[in-house]
Amino acid sequence: RKEVEQDPGPFNVPEGATVAFNCTYSNSASQSFFWYRQDCRKEPKLLMSVYSSGNEDGRFTAQLNRASQYISLLIRDSKLSDSATYLCVVLLGVSNYQLIWGAGTKLIIKP
Amino acid sequence: EAQVTQNPRYLITVTGKKLTVTCSQNMNHEYMSWYRQDPGLGLRQIYYSMNVEVTDKGDVPEGYKVSRKEKRNFPLILESPSPNQTSLYFCASSLSVRLNQPQHFGDGTRLSIL
């Protein structure tokens, strides 16, 4: 089982729709969680950190469920420019500063 | 301009010929790391460094070496490259991984080993 798993997609979604995807992690000691987006052949860029109480940044909402060991990303009112691959990242633990990346979920927003 | 600079951007070379990919950041970041990205596998961390003279293995360190003699530089060395090291490589840095600081990435190095 991979340490961080994501549905690879692609998710084909009409413009304006709401889309959500999850990321599961296997190490219960994982400390920190992030969502990055990556455009084709470009470097990843931080979208948002994920906090225990959940957090929102404009149209984006991130949630953490420690009991079930997953994080989620919700995108409301999706735009064409949201088309990208979304990468889930987990920082393993207090004494282990290794970052584990999911393979990404591809999102395609259609007009 | 704050940035992470990798060189070269593209390299085609042959099996066994030692190569170095340089990485430099001008943001006084403590944490630096190297990743490779392969289709279907996502980003995998090769090595990371918490600070000068401190390096640790990531997921896939075999066949790679790194050094962190200065804070700004974190070169990736392939002593004897093999075709399975053909990949897209990214260097990244952050102020401190403990403080949930974002990773800043270089533009990537596309490496082909024939």
Side-chain angles (χ1 to χ4, degrees), chain B residues 60 75 86 96:
Chain B
V60 288
T86 292
S96 167

Side-chain angles (χ1 to χ4, degrees), chain A residues 32 36 38 97-99, chain B residues 31 35 37 45 59 100 103:
Chain A
S32 304
Y36 279 72
Q38 185 177 26
Y97 297 103
Q98 189 178 339
L99 288 164
Chain B
Y31 187 91
Y35 297 91
Q37 187 171 31
Q45 198 170 36
D59 268 341
N100 291 349
Q103 298 285 303

Side-chain angles (χ1 to χ4, degrees), chain A residues 2-3 32 34 36 38 41-46 49 51 87 91 96-103, chain B residues 31 35 37 40-43 45 48 50 57-59 90 97-98 100-103 105-107 110:
Chain A
K2 291 182 184 176
E3 290 193 68
S32 304
F34 310 89
Y36 279 72
Q38 185 177 26
R41 294 179 177 271
K42 297 280 193 178
E43 73 279 14
K45 292 184 179 173
L46 179 69
S49 301
Y51 301 119
L87 305 168
L91 178 65
N96 183 342
Y97 297 103
Q98 189 178 339
L99 288 164
I100 307 294
W101 295 67
Chain B
Y31 187 91
Y35 297 91
Q37 187 171 31
L41 295 176
L43 280 160
Q45 198 170 36
Y48 62 98
M50 297 294 291
K57 294 178 181 178
D59 268 341
F90 286 105
V97 74
R98 289 187 196 91
N100 291 349
Q101 294 293 310
Q103 298 285 303
F105 283 81
D107 290 337
R110 196 164 285 279

Side-chain angles (χ1 to χ4, degrees), chain B residues 88-102:
Chain B
L88 175 60
Y89 290 85
F90 286 105
C91 178
S93 74
S94 65
L95 187 61
S96 167
V97 74
R98 289 187 196 91
L99 298 176
N100 291 349
Q101 294 293 310

Side-chain angles (χ1 to χ4, degrees), chain B residues 7 9 11 14-15 26 31 40 55 67 84 86 92 100:
Chain B
N7 278 298
R9 291 290 311 280
L11 179 62
V14 295
T15 298
N26 61 0
Y31 187 91
T55 62
S67 68
N84 65 11
T86 292
N100 291 349

Side-chain angles (χ1 to χ4, degrees), chain B:
Chain B
E1 183 191 346
Q3 59 186 1
V4 177
T5 304
Q6 295 178 228
N7 278 298
R9 291 290 311 280
Y10 304 92
L11 179 62
I12 301 173
T13 187
V14 295
T15 298
K17 187 177 179 184
K18 180 180 177 180
L19 68 92
T20 299
V21 185
T22 63
C23 175
S24 180
Q25 50 91 6
N26 61 0
M27 296 169 277
N28 201 35
H29 283 172
E30 286 185 350
Y31 187 91
M32 296 186 74
S33 55
W34 274 104
Y35 297 91
R36 59 178 290 172
Q37 187 171 31
D38 302 288
L41 295 176
L43 280 160
R44 290 181 292 168
Q45 198 170 36
I46 302 170
Y47 271 95
Y48 62 98
S49 169
M50 297 294 291
N51 215 323
V52 176
E53 301 292 1
V54 180
T55 62
D56 284 290
K57 294 178 181 178
D59 268 341
V60 288
E62 295 78 20
Y64 304 94
K65 283 173 58 177
V66 292
S67 68
R68 189 92 182 272
K69 295 187 171 66
E70 310 159 280
K71 202 170 190 179
R72 64 183 295 129
N73 295 323
F74 191 45
L76 179 70
I77 303 154
L78 285 72
E79 293 274 4
S80 183
S82 61
N84 65 11
Q85 292 178 299
T86 292
S87 188
L88 175 60
Y89 290 85
F90 286 105
C91 178
S93 74
S94 65
L95 187 61
S96 167
V97 74
R98 289 187 196 91
L99 298 176
N100 291 349
Q101 294 293 310
Q103 298 285 303
H104 297 260
F105 283 81
D107 290 337
T109 294
R110 196 164 285 279
L111 193 55
S112 293
I113 314 293
L114 305 177

Side-chain angles (χ1 to χ4, degrees), chain A residues 31-33 49-55 62-66, chain B residues 100:
Chain A
Q31 293 291 311
S32 304
F33 310 87
S49 301
V50 185
Y51 301 119
S52 297
S53 54
N55 47 300
Q63 298 275 358
L64 167 64
N65 185 318
R66 283 197 182 271
Chain B
N100 291 349

